[in-house]
């Protein structure tokens, strides 16, 4: 483990466990005087292939995702939190963001909103733990 974290990423999906992860990430970032980024991802792969419909739905999802991050950041902290919304499969987006941005620590909930997906294709958390380029803190 590094002596001090510089860049902390917290993955958020709106679940109660991801909100607990935000609390923990804020505490860690403050103790380490680190930069904190909150990331959420929207997966549009299941949206109809009709271009106009997909564009309209995607736009609405992006607005909702940004609003969710704003609400959580406002409720949880007085510190500056960078907020990012990515489009893609969450587990891949989290790992790729961590690699691209030289993240030192990823904080995330043990489970999220995708209980059915977790049974079918494996959990986002398990994927991130196994593929992340840095330490991962799983919050229960």
């Amino acid at each position: 483990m590094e002596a001090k974290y510089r860049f902390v990423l917290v993955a958020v999906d709106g679940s109660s466990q991801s909100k607990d992860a935000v609390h923990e990430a804020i505490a860690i970032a403050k103790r380490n005087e680190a930069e904190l980024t909150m990331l959420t991802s929207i997966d549009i792969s299941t949206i109809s292939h009709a271009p106009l419909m997909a564009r309209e739905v995607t736009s609405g999802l992006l607005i909702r995702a940004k609003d969710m991050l704003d609400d959580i950041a406002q409720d949880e902290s007085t510190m500056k939190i960078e907020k990012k919304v990515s489009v893609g499969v969450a587990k891949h987006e989290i790992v790729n963001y961590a690699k691209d941005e030289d993240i030192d620590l990823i904080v995330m909930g043990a489970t999220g909103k995708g209980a059915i997906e977790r049974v079918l294709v494996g959990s986002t958390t398990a994927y991130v733990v196994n593929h992340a380029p840095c330490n991962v803190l799983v919050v229960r």
Side-chain angles (χ1 to χ4, degrees), residues 59-102:
S59 176
L61 290 172
L62 284 169
I63 290 168
R64 286 180 49 204
K66 288 177 185 175
D67 288 346
M68 178 189 68
L69 291 180
D70 288 340
D71 290 345
I72 292 170
Q74 182 178 10
D75 291 345
E76 300 298 332
S77 177
T78 57
M79 73 179 291
K80 181 181 180 282
I81 301 174
E82 186 172 355
K83 299 171 288 258
K84 297 285 184 179
V85 178
S86 64
V87 177
V89 178
K91 59 188 174 185
H92 299 291
E93 294 299 314
I94 295 165
V95 169
N96 290 337
Y97 187 89
K99 287 178 183 175
D100 294 345
E101 300 298 323
D102 293 324

Side-chain angles (χ1 to χ4, degrees), residues 5-16:
Y5 294 114
R6 299 168 297 126
F7 304 102
V8 177
L9 173 67
V10 59
V12 178
D13 67 0
S15 68
S16 63

Side-chain angles (χ1 to χ4, degrees), residues 7-8 15 17-18 42-43 47 50 52 55 83 85 88 95 108 124 129 134 138:
F7 304 102
V8 177
S15 68
Q17 283 200 345
S18 75
I42 56 173
D43 183 359
I47 296 175
L52 291 176
R55 192 173 332 135
K83 299 171 288 258
V85 178
V95 169
M108 61 191 304
T124 297
V129 166
C134 59
V138 179

Side-chain angles (χ1 to χ4, degrees), residues 43-58:
D43 183 359
I44 60 170
S45 63
T46 57
I47 296 175
S48 169
H49 295 292
L52 291 176
M53 181 182 174
R55 192 173 332 135
E56 196 171 305
V57 170
T58 302

